[in-house]
């Protein structure tokens, strides 16, 4: 998705080295040391990503940032800064820059950011699909629409939101939807997965650190709370937040201020919190694994996202939406045959929408004529599932036949005993109580 990456930095050696690195990685990269030449060039050739030095000879990098933003709203700008210009980097992010890199840095860090940008672009495509008039193409399930309606209502209110639901149900997509429909939409949306970062590093990621705060801390690091200032911080997998770190998070939410590791003074932050979890936080509170006061701070407005197995009517709609995107990617028309549709509708999708997308992507690659058949889906245990259904159906048939025969025997015995309950129960070898229960069950008049 990302192809054109342009660099503006007054250091010629640095600019050319980054340019060469990116070209070697198959990007269309071009470096500039002159501000005017750069502005003229991007007016004709729109970039996907810009690496922008904040300290330039002729113009302030922040002014260049404003000029870029006037021309393009959707270009991703990565700020490049030397130590000592961290505060300007934060200002740049508030003005719409995506992230910052502090010199010196490993060029591989640029590639990591590009991967994150590509993932964000993918999420934005989903957001376009579920907003406005096009909501029906993603889902018409009553539970899903209720969740979306709640998201729309809370988007404009500056309160904490707690998104709950199984993995793969689209919690981050909803978080981005809320952010993009809020008063903070011009500010940054900063996601962090609390489960993906080792607990000893999570505090540094969230709150940042001063240079020399700990061994190996060679430069000041801006934490996610500061980066999200004026925007939204999305705390995914919040249930995995270490208990010892929860008081610091609670204080940041309550007092709207944080302290970097090794910092000497608090820093004010205006950050909205959206948290998400696939676990039951109330149960964790009862077990002493999650602070009760933090739970109530995070769950001001809870929204539950239903799993895909409870949205059977949406499975084909969502599938067709994914296939339309994959048509552009793989250059062929894609369509599910009727058998594939039935298989998808009956499958439980333990991985939810994420699993559905993976199944369809694999099928899109495997099909040669564009028709997605049973063998292309490669869903594990389809045969076992179908066998289970057959066995259950057989059991139901046998049970109905047994009940039918039992009812017939009771009715015939009652005729013989002329409706005598005690005698009938004795002949059948059951108690009077059991007989009465069966009479009620089969609606037999005696």
């Amino acid at each position: 998705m990302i192809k054109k990456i342009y660099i503006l930095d007054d250091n010629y050696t640095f600019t050319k080295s980054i340019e060469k690195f990116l070209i070697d990685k198959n990007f269309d990269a071009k470096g500039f040391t002159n501000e005017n030449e750069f502005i003229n060039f991007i007016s004709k050739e729109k970039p996907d990503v810009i690496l922008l030095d904040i300290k330039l000879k002729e113009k302030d990098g922040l002014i260049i940032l404003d000029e870029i933003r006037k021309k393009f709203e959707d270009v991703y700008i990565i700020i490049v800064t030397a130590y000592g210009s961290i505060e300007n980097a934060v200002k740049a992010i508030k003005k719409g820059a995506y992230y910052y890199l502090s010199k010196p840095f490993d060029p591989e860090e640029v590639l990591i950011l590009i991967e994150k940008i590509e993932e964000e672009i993918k999420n934005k495509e989903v957001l376009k699909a579920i907003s406005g008039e096009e909501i029906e193409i993603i889902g018409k399930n009553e539970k899903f629409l209720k969740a979306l309606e709640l998201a729309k209502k809370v988007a404009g209110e500056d309160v904490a939101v707690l998104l709950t639901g199984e993995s793969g149900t689209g919690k981050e997509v909803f978080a981005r939807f809320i952010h993009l429909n809020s008063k903070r939409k011009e500010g940054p949306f900063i996601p962090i997965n609390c489960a993906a970062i080792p607990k000893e590093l999570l505090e540094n990621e969230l709150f940042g650190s001063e240079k020399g705060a700990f061994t190996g801390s060679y430069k000041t690091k801006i934490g996610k709370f500061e980066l999200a200032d004026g925007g939204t911080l999305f705390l995914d997998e919040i249930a995995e937040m270490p208990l010892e770190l929860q008081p610091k998070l609670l204080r940041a939410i309550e007092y709207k201020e944080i302290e970097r590791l090794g910092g000497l003074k608090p820093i004010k932050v205006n950050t909205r919190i959206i948290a998400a979890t696939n676990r039951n936080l109330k149960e964790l509170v009862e077990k002493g694994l999650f602070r009760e006061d933090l739970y109530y701070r995070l769950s001001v407005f809870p929204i539950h996202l239903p799993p895909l197995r409870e949205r059977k009517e949406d499975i084909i709609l969502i599938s067709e939406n994914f296939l339309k995107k994959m048509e552009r990617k793989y250059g062929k028309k894609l369509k599910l045959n009727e058998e594939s549709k039935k298989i998808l509708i009956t499958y439980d999708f333990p991985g939810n929408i994420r699993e559905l997308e993976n199944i369809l992507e694999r099928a899109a690659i495997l099909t040669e004529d564009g028709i997605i058949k049973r063998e292309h889906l490669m869903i594990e245990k389809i045969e076992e599932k179908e066998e289970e259904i057959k066995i259950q159906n057989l059991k139901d048939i046998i049970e109905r036949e047994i009940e039918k025969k039992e009812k017939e025997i009771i009715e015939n015995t009652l005729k013989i005993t002329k409706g005598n309950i005690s005698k009938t129960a004795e002949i059948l070898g059951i108690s009077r109580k059991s007989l009465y229960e069966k009479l009620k069950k089969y609606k037999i008049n005696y």
Side-chain angles (χ1 to χ4, degrees), residues 42-191:
I42 66 170
S43 297
K44 300 170 187 175
E45 293 285 338
K46 181 186 174 184
D48 299 312
V49 174
I50 293 172
L51 291 176
L52 175 64
D53 189 358
I54 205 76
K55 283 281 187 182
L56 299 166
K57 288 178 182 176
E58 301 295 330
K59 283 186 180 179
D60 188 307
L62 293 175
I63 296 173
I64 298 289
L65 175 60
D66 287 335
E67 290 183 34
I68 296 169
R69 275 285 164 257
K70 286 176 186 176
K71 291 179 182 292
F72 311 112
E73 289 185 3
D74 56 346
V75 170
Y76 286 83
I77 302 168
I78 299 171
I79 296 299
V80 176
T81 180
Y83 176 74
S85 301
I86 297 294
E87 299 307 319
N88 281 337
V90 174
K91 286 179 186 177
I93 286 170
K94 289 179 183 178
K95 282 177 170 282
Y98 178 73
Y99 206 75
Y100 79 96
L101 290 171
S102 183
K103 292 180 181 176
F105 58 83
D106 188 334
E108 292 289 338
E109 291 183 56
V110 178
L111 297 183
I112 292 169
L113 286 177
I114 289 169
E115 285 179 11
K116 288 183 178 179
I117 289 169
E118 288 183 333
E119 184 64 28
E120 188 159 310
I121 290 170
K122 183 179 177 182
N123 284 331
K124 281 185 177 179
E125 288 175 355
V126 177
L127 281 172
K128 288 176 187 174
I130 69 169
S131 61
E133 298 300 315
E134 296 182 82
I135 183 172
E136 287 295 320
I137 67 169
I138 291 296
K140 58 185 179 182
N141 170 265
E142 188 177 341
K143 291 178 181 178
F144 171 78
L145 291 179
K146 182 181 177 182
L148 191 60
E149 188 60 32
L150 288 172
K152 287 178 180 178
K153 285 181 178 178
V154 78
E157 307 300 328
D158 214 13
V159 298
V161 178
L162 179 64
L163 299 169
T164 61
E166 295 176 10
S167 293
T169 50
K171 295 187 288 297
E172 183 167 348
V173 172
F174 261 66
R176 291 178 184 275
F177 177 82
I178 292 168
H179 171 73
L180 292 176
N181 285 278
S182 73
K183 298 168 188 174
R184 296 170 174 265
K185 62 183 178 182
E186 301 302 326
F189 176 89
I190 305 293

Side-chain angles (χ1 to χ4, degrees), residues 269-286:
V269 287
N270 176 21
T271 303
R272 182 184 190 176
I273 302 294
I274 300 178
T277 181
N278 58 10
R279 299 177 67 185
N280 189 323
L281 283 187
K282 280 188 177 179
E283 286 184 4
L284 294 179
V285 169
E286 290 170 5

Side-chain angles (χ1 to χ4, degrees), residues 56 82 84 89 112 114 124 145 193 224 242 246 275 304 317 346 363 397:
L56 299 166
I112 292 169
I114 289 169
K124 281 185 177 179
L145 291 179
N193 188 317
K224 296 293 193 286
Q246 291 178 25
H304 181 72
L317 289 172
T346 55
I397 292 168

